[in-house]
Amino acid sequence: MSSTPVIRIILLMAVFIPAVLPAQEARYRWDVGLSAGVSGYEGDANSGFWFRRPGLAVAALGRYNFDTRWALRIQGGMMTLSGDTGDMNTALPDGASCTFRSTLAMLETRGEFNFFPYGIGETYKRLRTWSPYVSLGLGGVMSASEGKNYLTMSIPVGVGVKFKPRERLNLGVEFTVAKTLGDHLDGAALSDIYTIKSSFFKNTDLYTSLTFSVTYEFGERCTVCNRID
């Protein structure tokens, strides 16, 4: 299926968002936690509203905080997808009608950029206890449908907001769109159903998620800079 122009815009924004202000060192190096929410899909069985048939999305994540603006995140998770060509206004070749259910397992690495210096305390750094952010990464996806497994790569792009209600604790809401390099998220029956040659922006599937996350920080950096010989 053709990808929407929105995906192209989000990709360009995530790549070219500039880090115009110098960042301060984050107090804690690491945070780990869980996320959960709803999943969606666009492909041969759904070309409209991504969350028309919402599924479940869960993940475990770990983040290394380079400073108060930049972080590297690794996460692994699962989600369920489903679709029905009866929901579409577009007719399939030969009047075909298909439904599917699949389970995805993902492993992703993403870079994150906070628009504000994110943290709590240390007022001289002018930290904020909340910040919008963007993320961009690369992942691997295995989809299971109708007893068969398919493996492909994905490019996840996320936008969200982080909030720190207390030291070490982080809450977040994130919307993610992940463009895959394959056409099997919806199983073999719907693969290449239009006999269109696949390319990055054409005849490949994407999955989406809207999730809420909770993480906890650890690994405090050394805050003592003075040395007495």
Side-chain angles (χ1 to χ4, degrees):
M1 294 294 296
S2 297
S3 180
T4 61
V6 175
I7 308 303
R8 306 187 190 193
I9 294 172
I10 295 176
L11 281 169
L12 291 173
M13 288 177 60
V15 171
F16 294 109
I17 290 293
V20 294
L21 297 176
Q24 301 289 339
E25 189 173 53
R27 182 166 183 176
Y28 293 94
R29 293 183 177 91
W30 305 92
D31 64 294
V32 297
L34 300 171
S35 68
V38 295
S39 61
Y41 144 87
E42 181 180 282
D44 294 307
N46 181 37
S47 60
F49 180 51
W50 290 331
F51 297 102
R52 185 184 304 278
R53 291 176 176 263
L56 176 66
V58 294
L61 61 97
R63 184 184 287 115
Y64 181 81
N65 301 295
F66 294 103
D67 51 41
T68 60
R69 287 183 180 270
W70 291 98
L72 179 67
R73 180 169 112 203
I74 297 176
Q75 70 177 37
M78 300 185 67
M79 67 172 56
T80 58
L81 300 179
S82 63
D84 187 339
T85 57
D87 296 334
M88 300 169 55
N89 295 324
T90 304
L92 298 183
D94 301 321
S97 178
C98 297
T99 62
F100 83 94
R101 291 182 180 275
S102 63
T103 301
L104 309 187
M106 302 90 65
L107 182 63
E108 301 173 348
T109 300
R110 302 194 204 180
E112 289 185 358
F113 173 71
N114 300 321
F115 286 88
F116 304 144
Y118 177 68
I120 196 168
E122 301 175 289
T123 54
Y124 70 95
K125 293 183 180 179
R126 297 184 178 179
L127 302 181
R128 298 198 186 188
T129 56
W130 70 280
S131 177
Y133 70 93
V134 293
S135 67
L136 175 66
L138 186 66
V141 183
M142 184 174 70
S143 60
S145 180
E146 302 172 348
K148 295 182 179 180
N149 296 327
Y150 305 94
L151 187 64
T152 187
M153 302 294 289
S154 68
I155 301 177
V157 181
V159 293
V161 178
K162 299 175 182 177
F163 173 62
K164 185 182 286 295
R166 52 185 285 188
E167 189 175 32
R168 298 198 183 198
L169 182 64
N170 303 281
L171 306 179
V173 177
E174 181 179 270
F175 172 68
T176 294
V177 176
K179 182 67 174 175
T180 71
L181 305 185
D183 189 31
H184 289 93
L185 294 187
D186 40 24
L190 289 164
S191 177
D192 297 325
I193 195 168
Y194 295 100
T195 64
I196 299 173
K197 185 177 180 181
S198 297
S199 65
F200 179 76
F201 287 113
K202 184 169 60 178
N203 203 39
T204 52
D205 299 328
L206 64 84
Y207 59 89
T208 64
S209 63
L210 179 62
T211 56
F212 173 79
S213 65
V214 179
T215 66
Y216 184 80
E217 298 175 352
F218 65 97
E220 185 174 15
R221 300 179 192 271
C222 177
T223 57
V224 179
C225 301
N226 297 324
R227 176 179 174 181
I228 301 177
D229 295 324

